[in-house]
């Protein structure tokens, strides 16, 4: 009886493991083992600052293997500590999966994991209570390797300094993350990104005061829209099918799910079950992919990372009704500002701006459009503050937008809803 219950509890993990195994099989279909090995080595040794497209650095095969291996490692940690699948675990895993296409790799995350683990020991609490923060805290993983790309230190010295910084970041980020939730009141889904943006800004300010700075970076691959478009549509369509197989009422529950505001903490997995969440993930993943193709953007490491992040938070705050107004706001802004709608900045802003989906869900589509519009303007300027160390730059910008906008909305809106 116990084994049956365990299988039921962890079936979501089994499904995700199957997807990651499929990633690895796909990698070896499109590339050779030799190229994959050399590509992984290039991914590990390269700078990881925003924006570093691993597909351009290591190739398609190596990037998919990196994403699959890192995601499988994280599932192993979750299972080991005994955390059951829920909306937050799916969001964390999908974010890891996505950012393993640009910025996180199988080596640079571990010092931050160690730092969060040490913090749990310092608090005399089980690591179970902090494991999700550890997964999200890897947003600052570029810090671990970035010092070796300056002329201030030797290679060994830079690596040791980077590891120490990673451990310290992991140790101090959990309390900052908890406090930041109070600042934006749950209207910014990428809460750790906001906390990491603040920490990254403080860190870069200190480093710049001592003459250490990092060059801006834009590594962006093109020309893979056909293969990635087909792959993503098939991938997310299979999620819809799996959701229906898991729960025959999943579409009915999905409609009910879309009535939720999505404000933190909204765990759709616990409320509506795994079937409805997989349906939601599939629909949002397809819509995100189609948006990139429709505006003439590139499907590559960063945009695939954005698509997986949007889909992942389908279990933890996002659905079509509260994300579409935000994206419309970003599209409107891109038609009026100095950047093209299909430029790297704009397509990434459109995807990640959905961190503000609870604003549209709580206050309506008009405020969602306004939030998306302002977000684009803010996020274009926040990257400099943390020097590209915070991979969740849109989470940082989203926190600023929410802190600015929510008091105005609640003070001046006419209705009492």
């Amino acid at each position: 009886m116990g084994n049956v219950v365990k299988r039921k509890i962890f079936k979501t993990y089994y499904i995700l493991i199957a997807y990651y195994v499929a990633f690895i099989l796909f990698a070896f279909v499109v590339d050779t083992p030799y190229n994959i090995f050399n590509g992984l080595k290039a991914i590990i040794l390269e700078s990881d600052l925003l924006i570093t497209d691993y597909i351009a650095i290591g190739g398609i095969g190596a990037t998919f293997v990196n994403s699959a291996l890192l995601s499988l490692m994280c599932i192993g940690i979750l299972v080991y500590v005994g955390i059951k699948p829920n909306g937050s675990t799916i969001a964390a895993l999908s974010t890891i999966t996505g950012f393993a296409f640009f910025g996180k790799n199988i080596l640079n995350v571990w010092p931050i994991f160690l730092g969060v683990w040490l913090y749990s020991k310092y608090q005399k609490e089980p690591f179970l209570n902090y494991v999700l923060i550890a997964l999200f805290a890897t947003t600052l993983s570029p810090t671990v390797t970035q010092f070796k790309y300056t002329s201030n230190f030797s290679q060994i010295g830079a690596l040791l300094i980077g590891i120490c910084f990673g451990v310290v970041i992991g140790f101090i980020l959990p309390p900052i993350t908890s406090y930041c939730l109070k600042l934006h009141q749950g209207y910014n889904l990428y809460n750790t990104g906001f906390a990491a943006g603040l920490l990254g800004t403080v860190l870069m300010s200190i480093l710049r005061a001592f003459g250490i700075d990092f060059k801006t970076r834009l590594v962006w691959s093109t020309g893979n829209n056909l293969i990635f478009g087909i792959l993503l549509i098939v991938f997310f369509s299979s999620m819809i099918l799996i959701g229906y197989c898991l729960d025959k009422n999943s579409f009915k529950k999905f409609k009910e799910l879309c009535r939720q505001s999505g404000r933190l903490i909204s765990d759709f997995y616990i409320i509506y079950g795994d079937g409805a969440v997989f349906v939601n993930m599939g629909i949002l993943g397809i819509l995100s992919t189609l948006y990139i193709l429709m505006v003439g953007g590139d499907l590559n490491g960063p945009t695939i990372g954005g698509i997986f992040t949007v889909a992942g938070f389908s279990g933890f705050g996002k659905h079509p009704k509260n994300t579409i107004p935000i994206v419309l706001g970003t599209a409107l802004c891109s038609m009026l500002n100095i950047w093209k709608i299909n430029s790297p900045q704009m397509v990434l802003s459109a995807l990640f701006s959905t961190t503000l989906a609870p604003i549209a869900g709580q206050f309506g589509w008009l405020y969602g459009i306004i939030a998306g519009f302002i977000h684009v303007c803010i996020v274009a300027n926040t990257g400099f503050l943390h020097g590209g160390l915070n991979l969740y730059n849109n989470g940082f910008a989203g926190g600023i937008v929410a802190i600015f906008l929510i008091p105005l909305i609640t003070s001046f809106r006419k209705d009492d809803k």
Side-chain angles (χ1 to χ4, degrees):
M1 180 67 178
N3 290 334
V4 173
V5 173
K6 187 174 181 180
R7 282 197 298 269
K8 183 177 180 180
I9 289 174
F10 290 104
K11 65 182 176 181
T12 300
Y13 288 151
Y14 295 148
I15 293 170
L16 295 176
I17 289 170
Y19 276 126
Y20 296 136
V21 171
F23 273 26
I24 296 174
L25 294 176
F26 171 77
F28 282 93
V29 168
V30 300
D31 214 339
T32 64
Y34 178 81
N35 288 339
I36 290 173
F37 176 79
N38 286 328
L40 277 173
K41 185 167 69 173
I43 287 172
I44 292 170
L45 295 177
E46 271 284 341
S47 167
D48 304 307
L49 284 182
L50 279 177
I51 300 172
T52 302
D53 185 348
Y54 283 166
I55 290 173
I57 299 296
I60 295 175
T63 302
F64 273 81
V65 169
N66 178 64
S67 178
L69 290 179
L70 182 56
S71 301
L72 289 170
M73 291 174 185
C74 291
I75 288 180
I77 293 173
L78 293 174
V79 172
Y80 178 77
V81 301
I83 189 167
K84 299 176 182 178
N86 54 47
S88 57
T89 57
I90 292 175
L93 283 171
S94 296
T95 302
I96 288 283
T97 301
F99 278 86
F101 282 80
F102 74 119
K104 300 180 185 182
N105 59 60
I106 54 178
L107 287 185
N108 68 4
V109 300
W110 297 107
I112 294 176
F113 282 158
L114 176 60
V116 177
W117 179 80
L118 290 173
Y119 179 77
S120 72
K121 295 302 177 184
Y122 175 78
Q123 294 292 337
K124 296 182 174 58
E125 296 182 43
F127 185 52
L128 171 70
N129 295 351
Y130 296 94
V131 65
L132 292 177
I133 293 179
L135 264 61
F136 283 120
T138 54
T139 177
L140 288 166
S141 58
T143 310
V144 175
T145 55
Q146 190 56 37
F147 287 97
K148 73 177 183 177
Y149 299 102
T150 69
S151 58
N152 304 76
F153 311 99
S154 65
Q155 291 290 299
I156 298 297
L159 182 60
L160 292 175
I161 291 171
I163 292 173
C164 290
F165 265 92
V167 174
V168 171
I169 285 169
F171 190 84
I172 65 176
L173 192 58
I176 300 174
T177 300
S178 299
Y179 186 79
C180 283
L181 186 61
K182 302 175 185 177
L183 297 178
H184 57 74
Q185 299 180 36
Y187 288 100
N188 175 33
L189 293 176
Y190 305 160
N191 180 53
T192 306
F194 178 47
L198 295 175
L199 178 56
T201 298
V202 172
L203 176 61
M204 279 308 306
S205 299
I206 295 172
L207 293 175
R208 285 168 178 152
F210 289 90
I212 302 172
D213 203 354
F214 305 132
K215 296 181 180 178
T216 58
R217 187 171 175 86
L218 177 59
V219 181
W220 189 266
S221 64
T222 60
N224 295 308
N225 280 16
L226 179 60
I227 184 172
F228 288 150
I230 295 173
L231 178 68
L232 291 171
I233 295 298
V234 171
F235 179 88
F236 289 114
S237 296
S238 71
M239 282 193 163
I240 297 174
L241 180 60
I242 288 173
Y244 179 73
C245 292
L246 290 171
D247 184 355
K248 295 298 187 291
N249 294 318
S250 56
F251 286 98
K252 180 181 179 180
K253 292 178 180 179
F254 167 72
K255 292 180 180 179
E256 296 174 2
L257 180 155
C258 288
R259 298 191 185 101
Q260 297 287 330
S261 70
R263 182 181 175 186
L264 288 176
I265 299 172
S266 298
D267 196 317
F268 296 155
Y269 188 100
I270 293 175
I271 299 171
Y272 298 104
D274 50 4
V277 167
F278 271 102
V279 168
N280 193 27
M281 289 177 72
I283 291 173
L284 272 182
I286 291 173
L287 290 176
S288 301
T289 303
L290 293 177
Y291 175 82
I292 299 298
L293 295 174
M294 184 175 64
V295 301
D298 299 303
L299 289 173
N300 54 21
T303 54
I304 290 176
I307 291 168
F308 273 105
T309 303
V310 172
F313 274 84
S314 298
F316 204 59
K318 295 182 184 180
H319 51 71
K321 189 176 178 180
N322 67 3
T323 56
I324 290 176
I326 305 292
V327 176
L328 289 176
T330 64
L332 177 62
C333 186
S334 64
M335 294 175 186
L336 301 174
N337 65 27
I338 60 176
W339 302 288
K340 294 182 179 179
I341 193 171
N342 62 350
S343 64
Q345 296 91 334
M346 289 300 99
V347 292
L348 290 180
S349 295
L351 292 170
F352 289 113
S353 65
T354 54
T355 182
L356 295 168
I359 293 180
Q362 182 75 25
F363 302 111
W365 63 270
L366 178 59
Y367 292 109
I369 291 174
I370 294 172
F373 191 100
I374 297 175
H375 179 87
V376 172
C377 304
I378 298 293
V379 77
N381 296 282
T382 51
F384 170 78
L385 298 177
H386 53 75
L389 293 178
N390 177 25
L391 295 174
Y392 307 163
N393 183 44
N394 281 268
F396 183 29
I400 296 173
V401 174
I403 292 172
F404 168 77
L405 202 55
I406 295 304
L408 298 178
I409 294 174
T410 54
S411 296
F412 296 109
R413 66 182 183 141
K414 298 299 183 181
D415 62 282
D416 295 323
K417 185 177 179 180

